[in-house]
Amino acid sequence: MAFRRRNKSYPFFSQEFLIQNHADIVFSLVIFILIGLMFEATAKSAILFIQPQYNVTTLSAEGEVTFYHYGWKDCATILFYFFIAIILHAVVQEYLLDKVNRRLHLSKSKNTKFNESGQLCVFHLVSSVWSFYILITEGYILHPSSLWENYPHVHLRFQVKFFYLTQLAYWLHAVPELYFQKVRKEEISRQLQYICLYLLHIAAAYMLNLSRVGVVLLFLQYVSELGFHIARLFYFTDENHQKMFDLWAVSFVFTRMATLTLTFLAVGFGLARAENQVLDLEMGNFNTVLIRMTVLLLVCLTQSWLLWKFIRFQLRRWREFRHEQAVRKKASTKQPLRPLKRDSFGHHENGVLKAENGASPRIKKLKSP
């Protein structure tokens, strides 16, 4: 299974060989794990990578219901879907983005940003639909108080736990992709910033048993980011598409306000009213004043940083727009000189006789009629 066209062969285990064939190498590892399911001796070890662990079956009015909680074995599952994310990244890049890039003929800097937005657009679209489906089926929208009631939310349904594992796997895979995609050094620091922020917030929500609040916040964030990357893709195809950035600006500000409001409502007020506010690692209870203040501080600092970057981005756009308007206005005020008219005798209206055969022109005044 080849994801890249081989225009040139490189020595085995060289840097270029690894970059060019990384998807094929990872695909071989995935096949190796799947083959382990076929044999009884290795099936138990292989299933550790594929299926979420730590399931607990309980009886309810609906019958037997299976819940999950987290543990160190989740690392193996995250590793497997880390490999899957690398494969899917290569598929989207090879069969979608590269074909569009050949038609657009973008520069290197724009090409890097186009690939970044293309990959994130697909991921944000899938994650937005998935998280919205969880919000509907779990009843978080119809019952907002369920976001903090009955804390700690140790037991998760399969779709919720699998959602968090795949989210962690995707953002972890984004780190080596910076090397595989040969991202420019100027872009690496910027991309590492939001990758680390996603990993920090998702891991904190998962391990502090704030999974319900985390799903809602991720849905809001992914919808906002989806609008931004769609706007940037349209901008790269045609630079006249600027109105979509204005729509994204409105959704961005709304997302920041909704994120802060929801976080203070669930963590600052909802959990503060809970009876059990003692740290208990065995029960998964992290509802203490120190941890709540740390979570609120982390969210506030992140949202403030995002707003600061957003304001800088809008000011830069405003300055570029004003400069462009000034240049256009200055160009429109400059009227071109009109060509001088000549009468039937070859004389100019201002009395200058045009020279013939390259001779120097002679100036004489026309007689008044």
PDB file of all heavy atoms in Angstrom, residues 227-228 230-232 234 241-249:
ATOM      1  N   GLY A 227     -15.039  26.661  11.165  1.00  0.00           N
ATOM      2  CA  GLY A 227     -15.334  27.851  10.375  1.00  0.00           C
ATOM      3  C   GLY A 227     -14.087  28.587   9.938  1.00  0.00           C
ATOM      4  O   GLY A 227     -14.006  29.080   8.801  1.00  0.00           O
ATOM      5  N   PHE A 228     -13.083  28.666  10.821  1.00  0.00           N
ATOM      6  CA  PHE A 228     -11.840  29.363  10.466  1.00  0.00           C
ATOM      7  C   PHE A 228     -11.108  28.655   9.334  1.00  0.00           C
ATOM      8  O   PHE A 228     -10.661  29.293   8.379  1.00  0.00           O
ATOM      9  CB  PHE A 228     -10.936  29.472  11.689  1.00  0.00           C
ATOM     10  CG  PHE A 228      -9.561  29.970  11.379  1.00  0.00           C
ATOM     11  CD1 PHE A 228      -9.339  31.305  11.085  1.00  0.00           C
ATOM     12  CD2 PHE A 228      -8.477  29.095  11.367  1.00  0.00           C
ATOM     13  CE1 PHE A 228      -8.064  31.764  10.776  1.00  0.00           C
ATOM     14  CE2 PHE A 228      -7.203  29.551  11.065  1.00  0.00           C
ATOM     15  CZ  PHE A 228      -6.995  30.886  10.770  1.00  0.00           C
ATOM     16  N   ILE A 230     -12.263  26.514   7.111  1.00  0.00           N
ATOM     17  CA  ILE A 230     -13.008  26.592   5.854  1.00  0.00           C
ATOM     18  C   ILE A 230     -12.789  27.955   5.204  1.00  0.00           C
ATOM     19  O   ILE A 230     -12.586  28.053   3.982  1.00  0.00           O
ATOM     20  CB  ILE A 230     -14.502  26.332   6.105  1.00  0.00           C
ATOM     21  CG1 ILE A 230     -14.735  24.866   6.479  1.00  0.00           C
ATOM     22  CG2 ILE A 230     -15.330  26.681   4.874  1.00  0.00           C
ATOM     23  CD1 ILE A 230     -16.176  24.548   6.818  1.00  0.00           C
ATOM     24  N   ALA A 231     -12.829  29.017   6.009  1.00  0.00           N
ATOM     25  CA  ALA A 231     -12.588  30.365   5.476  1.00  0.00           C
ATOM     26  C   ALA A 231     -11.191  30.484   4.892  1.00  0.00           C
ATOM     27  O   ALA A 231     -10.991  31.112   3.839  1.00  0.00           O
ATOM     28  CB  ALA A 231     -12.793  31.397   6.587  1.00  0.00           C
ATOM     29  N   ARG A 232     -10.203  29.876   5.545  1.00  0.00           N
ATOM     30  CA  ARG A 232      -8.832  29.972   5.039  1.00  0.00           C
ATOM     31  C   ARG A 232      -8.648  29.161   3.757  1.00  0.00           C
ATOM     32  O   ARG A 232      -7.916  29.571   2.861  1.00  0.00           O
ATOM     33  CB  ARG A 232      -7.843  29.495   6.108  1.00  0.00           C
ATOM     34  CG  ARG A 232      -6.420  29.882   5.787  1.00  0.00           C
ATOM     35  CD  ARG A 232      -5.543  29.955   6.999  1.00  0.00           C
ATOM     36  NE  ARG A 232      -5.196  28.657   7.529  1.00  0.00           N
ATOM     37  CZ  ARG A 232      -4.149  28.439   8.347  1.00  0.00           C
ATOM     38  NH1 ARG A 232      -3.377  29.457   8.701  1.00  0.00           N
ATOM     39  NH2 ARG A 232      -3.892  27.246   8.819  1.00  0.00           N
ATOM     40  N   PHE A 234     -10.993  28.687   1.458  1.00  0.00           N
ATOM     41  CA  PHE A 234     -11.592  29.500   0.406  1.00  0.00           C
ATOM     42  C   PHE A 234     -10.696  30.690   0.064  1.00  0.00           C
ATOM     43  O   PHE A 234     -10.632  31.112  -1.095  1.00  0.00           O
ATOM     44  CB  PHE A 234     -12.973  29.993   0.824  1.00  0.00           C
ATOM     45  CG  PHE A 234     -14.059  28.990   0.580  1.00  0.00           C
ATOM     46  CD1 PHE A 234     -14.558  28.215   1.608  1.00  0.00           C
ATOM     47  CD2 PHE A 234     -14.584  28.821  -0.696  1.00  0.00           C
ATOM     48  CE1 PHE A 234     -15.561  27.284   1.380  1.00  0.00           C
ATOM     49  CE2 PHE A 234     -15.588  27.900  -0.936  1.00  0.00           C
ATOM     50  CZ  PHE A 234     -16.084  27.127   0.100  1.00  0.00           C
ATOM     51  N   HIS A 241     -12.272  36.101  -1.237  1.00  0.00           N
ATOM     52  CA  HIS A 241     -13.187  35.551  -0.242  1.00  0.00           C
ATOM     53  C   HIS A 241     -12.734  36.005   1.152  1.00  0.00           C
ATOM     54  O   HIS A 241     -11.930  35.348   1.810  1.00  0.00           O
ATOM     55  CB  HIS A 241     -13.210  34.018  -0.309  1.00  0.00           C
ATOM     56  CG  HIS A 241     -13.923  33.488  -1.516  1.00  0.00           C
ATOM     57  ND1 HIS A 241     -13.260  33.093  -2.652  1.00  0.00           N
ATOM     58  CD2 HIS A 241     -15.244  33.306  -1.759  1.00  0.00           C
ATOM     59  CE1 HIS A 241     -14.139  32.679  -3.548  1.00  0.00           C
ATOM     60  NE2 HIS A 241     -15.346  32.793  -3.033  1.00  0.00           N
ATOM     61  N   GLN A 242     -13.250  37.136   1.588  1.00  0.00           N
ATOM     62  CA  GLN A 242     -12.898  37.687   2.900  1.00  0.00           C
ATOM     63  C   GLN A 242     -14.070  37.678   3.877  1.00  0.00           C
ATOM     64  O   GLN A 242     -13.870  37.772   5.090  1.00  0.00           O
ATOM     65  CB  GLN A 242     -12.409  39.137   2.739  1.00  0.00           C
ATOM     66  CG  GLN A 242     -11.150  39.276   1.911  1.00  0.00           C
ATOM     67  CD  GLN A 242      -9.896  38.989   2.711  1.00  0.00           C
ATOM     68  OE1 GLN A 242      -9.955  38.812   3.930  1.00  0.00           O
ATOM     69  NE2 GLN A 242      -8.767  38.925   2.059  1.00  0.00           N
ATOM     70  N   LYS A 243     -15.306  37.552   3.363  1.00  0.00           N
ATOM     71  CA  LYS A 243     -16.474  37.670   4.238  1.00  0.00           C
ATOM     72  C   LYS A 243     -16.592  36.495   5.207  1.00  0.00           C
ATOM     73  O   LYS A 243     -17.167  36.650   6.287  1.00  0.00           O
ATOM     74  CB  LYS A 243     -17.738  37.780   3.394  1.00  0.00           C
ATOM     75  CG  LYS A 243     -17.810  39.068   2.576  1.00  0.00           C
ATOM     76  CD  LYS A 243     -19.118  39.166   1.814  1.00  0.00           C
ATOM     77  CE  LYS A 243     -19.190  40.473   1.045  1.00  0.00           C
ATOM     78  NZ  LYS A 243     -20.460  40.597   0.276  1.00  0.00           N
ATOM     79  N   MET A 244     -16.061  35.331   4.830  1.00  0.00           N
ATOM     80  CA  MET A 244     -16.159  34.182   5.725  1.00  0.00           C
ATOM     81  C   MET A 244     -15.330  34.385   6.986  1.00  0.00           C
ATOM     82  O   MET A 244     -15.658  33.843   8.039  1.00  0.00           O
ATOM     83  CB  MET A 244     -15.731  32.910   4.997  1.00  0.00           C
ATOM     84  CG  MET A 244     -16.650  32.509   3.862  1.00  0.00           C
ATOM     85  SD  MET A 244     -16.372  30.830   3.293  1.00  0.00           S
ATOM     86  CE  MET A 244     -16.900  29.894   4.719  1.00  0.00           C
ATOM     87  N   PHE A 245     -14.268  35.185   6.900  1.00  0.00           N
ATOM     88  CA  PHE A 245     -13.492  35.497   8.100  1.00  0.00           C
ATOM     89  C   PHE A 245     -14.315  36.343   9.076  1.00  0.00           C
ATOM     90  O   PHE A 245     -14.150  36.238  10.295  1.00  0.00           O
ATOM     91  CB  PHE A 245     -12.202  36.221   7.733  1.00  0.00           C
ATOM     92  CG  PHE A 245     -11.131  35.322   7.194  1.00  0.00           C
ATOM     93  CD1 PHE A 245     -10.788  35.363   5.858  1.00  0.00           C
ATOM     94  CD2 PHE A 245     -10.467  34.427   8.009  1.00  0.00           C
ATOM     95  CE1 PHE A 245      -9.801  34.533   5.347  1.00  0.00           C
ATOM     96  CE2 PHE A 245      -9.481  33.588   7.520  1.00  0.00           C
ATOM     97  CZ  PHE A 245      -9.150  33.647   6.182  1.00  0.00           C
ATOM     98  N   ASP A 246     -15.195  37.197   8.532  1.00  0.00           N
ATOM     99  CA  ASP A 246     -16.058  37.996   9.406  1.00  0.00           C
ATOM    100  C   ASP A 246     -17.057  37.112  10.149  1.00  0.00           C
ATOM    101  O   ASP A 246     -17.325  37.326  11.334  1.00  0.00           O
ATOM    102  CB  ASP A 246     -16.797  39.053   8.570  1.00  0.00           C
ATOM    103  CG  ASP A 246     -15.837  40.021   7.894  1.00  0.00           C
ATOM    104  OD1 ASP A 246     -14.741  40.243   8.441  1.00  0.00           O
ATOM    105  OD2 ASP A 246     -16.183  40.539   6.810  1.00  0.00           O
ATOM    106  N   LEU A 247     -17.602  36.114   9.450  1.00  0.00           N
ATOM    107  CA  LEU A 247     -18.518  35.175  10.113  1.00  0.00           C
ATOM    108  C   LEU A 247     -17.790  34.373  11.185  1.00  0.00           C
ATOM    109  O   LEU A 247     -18.328  34.131  12.279  1.00  0.00           O
ATOM    110  CB  LEU A 247     -19.142  34.239   9.080  1.00  0.00           C
ATOM    111  CG  LEU A 247     -20.025  34.889   8.014  1.00  0.00           C
ATOM    112  CD1 LEU A 247     -20.480  33.842   7.001  1.00  0.00           C
ATOM    113  CD2 LEU A 247     -21.229  35.561   8.661  1.00  0.00           C
ATOM    114  N   TRP A 248     -16.551  33.975  10.862  1.00  0.00           N
ATOM    115  CA  TRP A 248     -15.780  33.241  11.864  1.00  0.00           C
ATOM    116  C   TRP A 248     -15.467  34.110  13.068  1.00  0.00           C
ATOM    117  O   TRP A 248     -15.461  33.622  14.215  1.00  0.00           O
ATOM    118  CB  TRP A 248     -14.477  32.737  11.251  1.00  0.00           C
ATOM    119  CG  TRP A 248     -13.481  32.342  12.285  1.00  0.00           C
ATOM    120  CD1 TRP A 248     -13.486  31.215  13.047  1.00  0.00           C
ATOM    121  CD2 TRP A 248     -12.339  33.104  12.720  1.00  0.00           C
ATOM    122  NE1 TRP A 248     -12.420  31.220  13.916  1.00  0.00           N
ATOM    123  CE2 TRP A 248     -11.708  32.354  13.733  1.00  0.00           C
ATOM    124  CE3 TRP A 248     -11.797  34.318  12.333  1.00  0.00           C
ATOM    125  CZ2 TRP A 248     -10.557  32.807  14.365  1.00  0.00           C
ATOM    126  CZ3 TRP A 248     -10.657  34.770  12.958  1.00  0.00           C
ATOM    127  CH2 TRP A 248     -10.049  34.016  13.961  1.00  0.00           C
ATOM    128  N   ALA A 249     -15.223  35.402  12.854  1.00  0.00           N
ATOM    129  CA  ALA A 249     -14.910  36.306  13.969  1.00  0.00           C
ATOM    130  C   ALA A 249     -16.069  36.363  14.962  1.00  0.00           C
ATOM    131  O   ALA A 249     -15.861  36.360  16.185  1.00  0.00           O
ATOM    132  CB  ALA A 249     -14.598  37.703  13.442  1.00  0.00           C
TER     133      ALA A 249
END
